């Protein structure tokens, strides 16, 4: 979520499908249109930025530690984050 609007809560519907891809260091390589729309960043603004640019302040650090541990291990999993 764009830091300019970090108090705004956006509800996703059941069909929402936000996709982003990063390298092993967490730098964004791809994001789909819906991810961009909900993050309130353009694709050009996201590419090359560290993924924590969209981190919600209420999301526990432990969740991200587990996510990056999985990413670095080479496993492919889905993650849901706030």
């Amino acid at each position: 979520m764009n830091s300019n609007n970090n108090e705004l809560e956006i509800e996703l519907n059941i069909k929402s499908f936000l996709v982003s891809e990063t390298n092993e260091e967490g730098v964004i390589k791809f994001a789909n249109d819906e991810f961009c729309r909900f993050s309130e960043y353009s694709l050009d603004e996201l590419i090359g930025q560290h993924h924590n640019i969209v981190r919600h302040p209420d999301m526990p650090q432990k969740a991200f530690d587990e996510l990056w541990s999985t990413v670095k291990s080479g496993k492919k999993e889905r993650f849901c984050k706030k």
Side-chain angles (χ1 to χ4, degrees):
M1 175 186 297
N2 190 322
S3 62
N4 295 330
N5 295 317
N6 61 6
E7 296 300 318
L8 177 66
E9 185 171 316
I10 301 172
E11 272 191 51
L12 303 176
N13 68 47
I14 194 75
K15 295 181 180 182
S16 295
F17 192 69
L18 283 61
V19 177
S20 64
E21 180 182 354
T22 68
N23 65 15
E24 293 81 8
E25 288 79 40
V27 175
I28 298 172
K29 297 170 29 176
F30 169 80
N32 71 352
D33 290 340
E34 197 164 16
F35 186 96
C36 294
R37 184 166 58 89
F38 279 95
S39 72
E40 299 180 340
Y41 287 101
S42 70
L43 182 59
D44 288 339
E45 291 173 310
L46 289 170
I47 299 297
Q49 296 294 318
H50 196 276
H51 204 280
N52 64 12
I53 193 174
V54 296
R55 180 178 177 206
H56 191 283
D58 291 344
M59 189 67 172
Q61 182 62 43
K62 181 175 170 111
F64 284 93
D65 293 343
E66 291 174 9
L67 179 145
W68 292 117
S69 175
T70 300
V71 168
K72 289 178 181 181
S73 74
K75 296 178 186 174
K76 296 191 185 264
E77 293 194 27
R78 289 183 171 187
F79 291 93
C80 178
K81 74 177 215 175
K82 186 174 184 177

